[in-house]
Amino acid sequence: MLEGKTYLITGIADEHSLAMYTAREIIKNGGKVVCTGLGVSKHHSDLSDKAKAFLNQNYEDFKQSVQKELGDSHTAILDVTIDANIESFAQELADKNIKLDGFLHAIAMDKTIRKKEVKPLIDVTLQEFCDTMDVSAYSLISVTRHLIEKNVLQKGASICSLSYIAAAKVTFHPYRNISIAKAALERITVELADELGRKHQMRCNAVRFSPFMGSKAGNATLRPEDVETSNRMSPLGNARPEDLAFEIVHLFRPESRITGEIRHVDGGYHITG
Ligand SMILES: NC(=O)c1ccc[n+]([C@@H]2O[C@H](COP(=O)([O-])OP(=O)(O)OC[C@H]3O[C@@H](n4cnc5c(N)ncnc54)[C@H](O)[C@@H]3O)[C@@H](O)[C@H]2O)c1
């Protein structure tokens, strides 16, 4: 189905990342992947020793899991908060003549959730608000722009991002700050679908997925009872990461005319929750 196609997969932290499930499914369907992980790039400056150690460990885990799960797929460092890093990454792909048929945005960060405790929205600072927006929403625009400017993202490409029902509703697990960023991510998806569809025949969709504790982000934020609650409330039970990967590959199919959709892969939670 994806024979001869190449997709950028962002947001792999390790083999349990939702993005990794998608990368595996792309390869299973005959496609190729380019993977990016968070690490120390030449554009980082003034990092504390602690931050440097964290980023180095993150990149090591990323590289090892890509090697183990995806063989010799192309890997690169990408920190979406640094515009110069996004630009040089896009330039690197252009220099290597790597053309992309789409990409998965699977990036989110919210420092107002700590040890599964969510800071009340009323206490969220402007800096915390903007940092979460930057990483989790605006990055969809900036990564897309640089890939188009360097002529890496091809006409007809398909872009997909990962969202959550909390973008629209207060749920059993109120996420507050990140929910607002997810709402922005979804709105960006719709606006880009219109702009890029008309200009480049590109598609842009988002998928709201069930709570999943297997990944680092999921494990840091969710409690087992949250996952049980949504499992009980979903007619089909919680969707699995494999279900998500299957749907993303469907949205990546070159012949599809689906765009501007906010899809649910959540076992039907959205009709009851
Ligand atoms: N786990 C869930 O329950 C769930 C449910 C619905 C949607 N999602 C979304 O799926 C996506 C992937 O999350 P996951 O659950 O696989 O967790 P994960 O921890 O495996 O992935 C999150 C990724 O974001 C990356 N990231 C954070 N800051 C970054 C930055 N500045 N630059 C580049 N990358 C950065 C991390 O390195 C990590 O790879 C996120 O957008 C998340 O909100 C998760």
Side-chain angles (χ1 to χ4, degrees):
M1 194 164 33
L2 302 180
E3 216 55 60
K5 305 288 172 195
T6 304
Y7 298 87
L8 166 64
I9 304 295
T10 66
I12 293 180
D14 58 29
E15 60 254 56
H16 307 294
S17 291
L18 292 172
M20 181 64 95
Y21 285 85
T22 303
R24 281 192 289 252
E25 190 66 17
I26 289 171
I27 290 173
K28 202 170 117 191
N29 280 274
K32 281 192 187 155
V33 291
V34 169
C35 302
T36 57
L38 190 56
V40 181
S41 76
K42 63 177 182 209
H43 307 283
H44 282 88
S45 57
D46 298 333
L47 284 174
S48 67
D49 288 348
K50 196 174 159 205
K52 214 180 280 174
F54 168 80
L55 289 171
N56 280 331
Q57 184 60 52
N58 195 80
Y59 198 67
E60 204 42 50
D61 293 346
F62 155 78
K63 265 185 61 175
Q64 274 183 19
S65 47
V66 169
Q67 178 73 41
K68 183 171 150 233
E69 301 286 323
L70 310 173
D72 57 2
S73 299
H74 185 86
T75 52
I77 293 176
L78 182 65
D79 183 335
V80 294
T81 61
I82 303 176
D83 200 61
N85 188 182
I86 310 176
E87 187 182 6
S88 70
F89 165 65
Q91 186 63 53
E92 181 197 331
L93 296 186
D95 293 345
K96 294 194 157 80
N97 205 22
I98 296 175
K99 303 285 185 194
L100 296 176
D101 298 286
F103 84 89
L104 175 69
H105 180 284
I107 296 171
M109 187 279 302
D110 180 8
K111 289 185 180 154
T112 71
I113 307 175
R114 288 220 178 260
K115 296 188 180 149
K116 303 180 196 265
E117 289 298 322
V118 182
K119 193 175 199 179
L121 191 58
I122 201 80
D123 297 329
V124 169
T125 65
L126 176 62
Q127 193 63 51
E128 288 167 338
F129 182 85
C130 292
D131 285 351
T132 300
M133 274 287 180
D134 183 13
V135 175
S136 317
Y138 180 73
S139 58
L140 180 61
I141 300 176
S142 49
V143 173
T144 305
R145 181 178 54 245
H146 283 296
L147 293 174
I148 290 175
E149 275 175 7
K150 302 287 182 204
N151 199 20
V152 169
L153 201 59
Q154 297 299 282
K155 185 174 177 221
S158 177
I159 302 164
C160 189
S161 64
L162 297 188
S163 190
Y164 185 55
I165 189 84
K169 290 180 182 179
V170 176
T171 69
F172 51 89
H173 186 294
Y175 273 105
R176 311 300 183 203
N177 193 35
I178 187 76
S179 302
I180 296 164
K182 287 298 187 194
L185 179 75
E186 294 186 1
R187 192 66 210 156
I188 290 167
T189 297
V190 171
E191 296 295 343
L192 285 183
D194 185 55
E195 250 180 53
L196 304 182
R198 291 176 194 284
K199 206 164 172 196
H200 305 287
Q201 289 292 298
M202 288 180 191
R203 292 161 282 144
C204 193
N205 296 287
V207 181
R208 292 179 182 167
F209 183 55
S210 296
F212 170 63
M213 277 190 75
S215 65
K216 273 189 181 164
N219 193 264
T221 52
L222 292 159
R223 299 181 176 89
E225 53 267 37
D226 301 324
V227 179
E228 278 156 31
T229 303
S230 76
N231 194 43
R232 201 176 52 248
M233 290 173 74
S234 308
L236 301 178
N238 285 331
R240 303 160 309 147
E242 290 85 354
D243 303 320
L244 175 70
F246 187 81
E247 183 59 19
I248 294 167
V249 164
H250 172 61
L251 292 169
F252 278 169
R253 282 168 63 161
E255 66 272 24
S256 150
R257 281 189 181 269
I258 302 165
T259 197
E261 283 258 31
I262 311 299
R263 298 224 147 165
H264 295 91
V265 176
D266 66 354
Y269 175 83
H270 65 285
I271 62 169
T272 69

